[in-house]
Amino acid sequence: MLTTAALKPLSLKPLPLKAITLETSLIKLVPMTMQHLEGYCLAGNYPQVWQHMPINRCQSQDIAKPWLAEAIENMDQGLELAFVIINKVNNKESDKKTDTVIGSTRLFRYNNKDKTIELGHTFITPNFQRSHVNSHAKYLMLKHAFEQLNMTRVEICTHENNQQSRNAIARIGGQFEGVLRKHRRAPNGDSRNTALFSIIDEDWPQVKQQLLSTGKSPEEFIHVPR
């Protein structure tokens, strides 16, 4: 005869996220380490990058370091994937180094039970905004989320007043779901309203094609190891 204890469901730990490098022919997303601290600050220390945020997290290494440390600790625990963005081609005269950090982005708020994750904490240095970088980064992260992690929903959030970001999210196929009032609280205690977008697994084939169409050819989104 089975006892009550024997009928209790097993307590299964969620599968942890594993740090990984994601790459196309034009950019590379590399797991964040403290060695990226200087490049992270140089890439993001521009007022326009943080105009909708209460603090410039790249203003100094002292400010950025705890932020990176928290992300690295979360990665070690398998809770998120935090990347720095590396440009692989010298398509601008102002950037001569192929390994220069030009931004950062993350997959976080990972919910393995419900198969959801959030894509965000993204910034791209001004010289590379409105270039190939955003579409390549979104392609890599969404492809990883849907095709490797088997997520059913990816959320993308931005400040209610960040129209540039909202337009960019909608342009790649993010579905606007509404404004969440007083959704996030900043370190200074201020609350922000969040514009919430999502992409679900049924959307992904079309979103994937939209992202591929932003390049000169679909082949530029493919990384061929040498």
Side-chain angles (χ1 to χ4, degrees):
M1 180 177 177
L2 292 175
T3 65
T4 303
L7 295 174
K8 288 183 178 179
L10 293 175
S11 177
L12 299 177
K13 292 183 178 180
L15 295 173
L17 296 172
K18 295 182 180 179
I20 186 172
T21 296
L22 304 174
E23 195 167 357
T24 70
S25 64
L26 302 184
I27 72 161
K28 183 162 53 175
L29 303 183
V30 178
M32 182 185 292
T33 71
M34 203 54 72
Q35 292 181 337
H36 295 120
L37 177 61
E38 181 179 1
Y40 181 92
C41 290
L42 290 173
N45 193 14
Y46 295 88
Q48 61 266 46
V49 170
W50 303 96
Q51 61 180 315
H52 296 289
M53 301 294 290
I55 183 173
N56 176 350
R57 295 190 183 276
C58 295
Q59 187 174 356
S60 71
Q61 292 190 22
D62 287 340
I63 292 174
K65 190 172 183 178
W67 180 243
L68 267 67
E70 179 183 359
I72 293 166
E73 181 180 356
N74 286 338
M75 278 200 294
D76 289 342
Q77 296 177 20
L79 302 176
E80 69 177 62
L81 297 174
F83 301 100
V84 292
I85 306 172
I86 306 293
N87 187 53
K88 293 171 62 176
V89 293
N90 292 326
N91 64 337
K92 290 184 180 294
E93 288 298 319
S94 58
D95 185 46
K96 295 296 185 182
K97 295 181 180 179
T98 57
D99 281 341
T100 297
V101 175
I102 60 167
S104 182
T105 190
R106 302 188 197 182
L107 288 168
F108 62 112
R109 295 196 173 93
Y110 170 54
N111 182 339
N112 185 59
K113 177 184 176 183
D114 295 324
K115 295 297 181 183
T116 66
I117 203 164
E118 185 171 335
L119 192 165
H121 293 318
T122 302
F123 74 83
I124 297 170
T125 199
N127 282 345
F128 283 92
Q129 292 178 6
R130 296 182 178 88
S131 72
H132 61 280
V133 175
N134 186 56
S135 58
H136 276 245
K138 293 296 190 294
Y139 170 82
L140 287 171
M141 298 175 78
L142 290 168
K143 186 175 190 293
H144 186 66
F146 288 118
E147 298 183 16
Q148 277 72 54
L149 300 179
N150 297 315
M151 296 289 102
T152 62
R153 174 182 170 90
V154 175
E155 293 186 349
I156 309 176
C157 298
T158 190
H159 193 289
E160 177 187 24
N161 297 328
N162 191 344
Q163 197 60 51
Q164 180 179 340
S165 178
R166 291 177 64 164
N167 291 343
I169 297 167
R171 194 160 49 243
I172 68 169
Q175 297 296 307
F176 177 60
E177 295 188 343
V179 173
L180 306 180
R181 299 183 301 164
K182 290 193 171 182
H183 180 233
R184 298 274 162 82
R185 178 160 293 201
N188 64 0
D190 291 344
S191 296
R192 84 163 194 187
N193 293 345
T194 295
L196 173 64
F197 294 77
S198 73
I199 298 170
I200 61 174
D201 48 359
E202 287 94 340
D203 301 331
W204 171 234
Q206 181 177 351
V207 171
K208 185 176 183 178
Q209 289 305 310
Q210 285 180 228
L211 288 168
L212 290 172
S213 71
T214 64
K216 294 179 180 178
S217 71
E219 286 71 29
E220 76 176 30
F221 288 83
I222 299 171
H223 165 60
V224 179
R226 295 177 181 173

